[in-house]
Amino acid sequence: MIDYNKYNRANIYIRNDFAGVLEKTSNHNYTFTYAPQWLAQNKGGIALSLPTSKTSYQADKLFPFFDNLIPEGWLLFNAQDIHKIDKSNRFAILLATGRETIGAIRVVALDENDEEIRLNIENEIDDKELTKHEVIFSPANNACPYCLRELTQKQIEKNTFHDRCIKEMWGTKRKISILLDSKNPINSFRKTVYGASISGAQIKGAFYFDKGVMTPTYRKSNYIIKPQTELYEYIPENEHLTMAIAKSCNFEVPPFTIFEVPGLGKIFVIKRFDISENEKHLRLEDFGQILEEPSSEKYSKSYNKVGRAIVEYSDAPPPDLYEFLRRVIFSFFIGNGDMHLKNWSLLETDKLNGVFRLSPCYDFINTRLPIYDEQMDVGLAINGRKHKITQASFIQLAEDLNCSAYIYEILSEVDSWLTVTKSLFPKSYLPEDEKERYLKIVESRYNVLKGETTDYL
């Protein structure tokens, strides 16, 4: 096992292009220096907070752009355990897990001779311990396990998906299977942090799907898989329903579905949107990185500041600001109190390198359903408030962002959002009592957005 605690330098790549060197100096300061060859190509900065410069950047803490590449929650705990790194040594964790990040950044550790450290991953992970399991797709109430719209009997018997949905999700009509650790299936998800990173607190793992088989991996992943968690029940079912509602309400969402594996229960899977059809990794910056906040401060700032950053950094500010405001209001409507800085991102467009737009939606979930005593009604403050949100809160937010013309058009959508929710929630995979509570939460917030009350669940 590589001891990342003793290394202090790393090469930084955008895809396979060498961009510069990140260093932790002897006095625990940090520097980032662009490579001359990168500067000569006029490719721009690796981050909005790190524009190209011949002078080295210096900081007394790990740059937030890099700090936000480090895994969180369950994966962070396992990275610390596997690599024997103390949680306070963020730089070492970055070296251990930064070779394959979400987006296009690659962090490759350097040894004492400034040689790149090569992984001997075959000696650390035994693929012989993986067992193939056939994935079970069970249409709930004759509904497609992607979009939750009704299936015909012929579609149910054929492949349990709409033809369009199975093409978007898998690109094949093969039977789908998954490789998992034969002794403890959850250990398969630990494989991610042998060299890769995913943000978010819940259990999840990076998987590579090819020829009908999903394989846990730390490199070249194209799907993220989230199993059940012991802390909160029915999270995969919850996220699946919420994303299906968002899709039907014309929000841009990546392909997703839900399936079952004996011994693990229901599992939510989503296709990575930062990888193009030709497997090119697209640059992605979340708003923790853009607003230069470490991941520990992801609940700081406000939607007001995120909106202003979209105006400043998006290459299409008006439509992205409109869509941002729609998503903020929808998140309140659907009971999502966890839309923090890391759940908003700008994504490089596939056809135009260096052009950034608001990314597709991700991590949409009704957090109020499992967390009765949730401390926040929204992930970030709106006009300085995280509680007692009213219709006026969103009107004021729009005024602050100079987009008042948008607000009433967006608020007029909530009727259709409620209609979609009522049509889809009965078809979801949630237990009946959870379905009913889900709808009550949404209906209470619908009434707030209609200006009929200020009370909500």
Side-chain angles (χ1 to χ4, degrees):
M1 181 67 69
I2 298 167
D3 182 6
Y4 289 98
N5 292 285
K6 65 182 183 179
Y7 301 122
N8 296 308
R9 286 167 59 83
N11 282 341
I12 305 301
Y13 292 84
I14 293 281
R15 293 179 274 270
N16 293 317
D17 295 331
F18 175 53
V21 176
L22 178 67
E23 181 176 7
K24 179 181 179 181
T25 61
S26 58
N27 57 355
H28 296 286
N29 287 336
Y30 298 86
T31 65
F32 174 71
T33 307
Y34 278 103
Q37 57 266 46
W38 178 270
L39 295 174
Q41 295 177 67
N42 295 315
K43 290 188 174 182
I46 64 167
L48 294 171
S49 60
L50 296 168
T52 51
S53 172
K54 293 181 180 179
T55 304
S56 296
Y57 286 91
Q58 300 186 29
D60 58 3
K61 294 182 180 179
L62 184 59
F63 299 96
F65 175 76
F66 293 108
D67 184 88
N68 279 282
L69 297 177
I70 294 170
E72 300 180 283
W74 186 86
L75 283 177
L76 175 59
F77 173 82
N78 281 280
Q80 294 165 194
D81 177 54
I82 289 169
H83 298 289
K84 309 305 178 189
I85 301 171
D86 185 82
K87 63 181 180 180
S88 64
N89 193 347
R90 303 281 289 173
F91 190 81
I93 298 170
L94 175 67
L95 297 185
T97 62
R99 291 174 186 260
E100 175 82 11
T101 65
I102 301 299
I105 292 289
R106 294 176 53 236
V107 181
V108 182
L110 298 172
D111 65 18
E112 298 90 340
N113 300 313
D114 265 1
E115 296 290 332
E116 291 189 354
I117 297 171
R118 300 183 63 181
L119 291 183
N120 192 14
I121 204 74
E122 291 78 11
N123 293 337
E124 298 170 0
I125 302 175
D126 187 358
D127 284 346
K128 294 179 181 178
E129 295 181 358
L130 299 178
T131 302
K132 184 182 287 189
H133 300 263
E134 186 173 331
V135 165
I136 301 170
F137 295 104
S138 302
N141 299 301
N142 297 329
C144 173
Y146 177 2
C147 68
L148 281 182
R149 296 296 183 182
E150 189 172 353
L151 293 166
T152 65
Q153 187 59 38
K154 184 177 180 180
Q155 288 169 329
I156 293 173
E157 294 171 356
K158 185 179 179 182
N159 52 37
T160 70
F161 284 87
H162 297 117
D163 288 345
R164 180 189 67 256
C165 292
I166 200 170
K167 183 177 180 181
E168 286 182 15
M169 184 68 214
W170 303 112
T172 180
K173 293 183 179 179
R174 292 174 183 245
K175 286 188 176 182
I176 310 298
S177 58
I178 187 170
L179 294 174
L180 296 170
D181 187 286
S182 57
K183 296 179 181 178
N184 183 358
I186 288 296
N187 280 343
S188 311
F189 298 82
R190 283 165 52 98
K191 187 169 182 177
T192 298
V193 293
Y194 278 89
S197 171
I198 309 172
S199 63
Q202 70 189 91
I203 300 174
K204 62 187 68 175
F207 282 69
Y208 183 65
F209 178 73
D210 184 45
K211 298 178 180 178
V213 181
M214 288 179 281
T215 304
T217 184
Y218 76 98
R219 56 186 170 188
K220 201 182 178 182
S221 67
N222 49 11
Y223 288 78
I224 295 173
I225 295 181
K226 305 178 183 181
Q228 295 282 4
T229 173
E230 293 182 359
L231 184 59
Y232 298 114
E233 289 186 307
Y234 312 119
I235 295 299
E237 296 92 332
N238 184 334
E239 186 166 1
H240 178 260
L241 172 60
T242 307
M243 292 290 280
I245 293 169
K247 177 177 173 59
S248 287
C249 291
N250 297 316
F251 289 92
E252 184 183 6
V253 299
F256 63 90
T257 191
I258 190 169
F259 60 79
E260 187 171 354
V261 173
L264 274 183
K266 294 288 192 300
I267 296 174
F268 179 81
V269 55
I270 190 164
K271 196 172 185 179
R272 285 181 58 174
F273 58 78
D274 61 311
I275 301 176
S276 68
E277 291 183 2
N278 63 359
E279 298 192 347
K280 172 186 174 182
H281 284 242
L282 303 175
R283 294 168 63 183
L284 182 78
E285 287 194 50
D286 68 46
F287 277 85
Q289 295 171 307
I290 293 169
L291 295 176
E292 299 188 72
E293 293 289 347
S295 62
S296 61
E297 296 297 320
K298 63 185 180 181
Y299 293 101
S300 66
K301 303 299 184 183
S302 65
Y303 288 128
N304 306 66
K305 290 186 178 180
V306 172
R308 285 193 282 273
I310 288 172
V311 172
E312 182 175 358
Y313 295 115
S314 166
D315 286 292
D320 278 355
L321 189 60
Y322 179 86
E323 181 61 19
F324 166 71
L325 197 56
R326 282 186 79 227
R327 294 184 193 181
V328 171
I329 295 172
F330 180 80
S331 294
F332 174 79
F333 166 84
I334 211 69
N336 187 354
D338 201 41
M339 288 301 290
H340 49 69
L341 291 175
K342 294 185 68 61
N343 282 339
W344 301 91
S345 296
L346 293 181
L347 176 69
E348 180 183 32
T349 59
D350 184 17
K351 300 187 185 302
L352 297 171
N353 290 350
V355 174
F356 285 83
R357 295 290 308 275
L358 194 64
S359 79
C361 306
Y362 57 97
D363 287 358
F364 268 14
I365 189 168
N366 183 328
T367 56
R368 189 55 57 93
L369 186 64
I371 310 175
Y372 285 65
D373 57 347
E374 191 174 24
Q375 297 302 304
M376 294 179 291
D377 296 338
V378 286
L380 299 173
I382 299 176
N383 314 314
R385 299 175 67 173
K386 292 188 177 182
H387 305 283
K388 299 182 179 179
I389 304 302
T390 66
Q391 183 196 70
S393 302
F394 299 105
I395 295 172
Q396 185 180 344
L397 174 62
E399 291 173 350
D400 183 59
L401 297 175
N402 297 315
C403 58
S404 296
Y406 301 160
I407 188 63
Y408 293 104
E409 180 180 343
I410 295 171
L411 287 172
S412 70
E413 290 189 61
V414 299
D415 291 318
S416 64
W417 293 352
L418 184 61
T419 299
V420 167
T421 303
K422 287 183 175 180
S423 71
L424 294 187
F425 92 95
K427 304 172 186 176
S428 79
Y429 295 83
L430 287 166
E432 291 302 320
D433 58 337
E434 294 289 295
K435 291 180 185 178
E436 294 299 326
R437 178 167 157 74
Y438 189 108
L439 182 61
K440 286 180 181 179
I441 291 168
V442 171
E443 286 179 327
S444 72
R445 287 154 183 258
Y446 164 83
N447 292 331
V448 170
L449 293 172
K450 295 295 288 185
E452 297 173 359
T453 182
T454 58
D455 296 325
Y456 54 89
L457 296 175

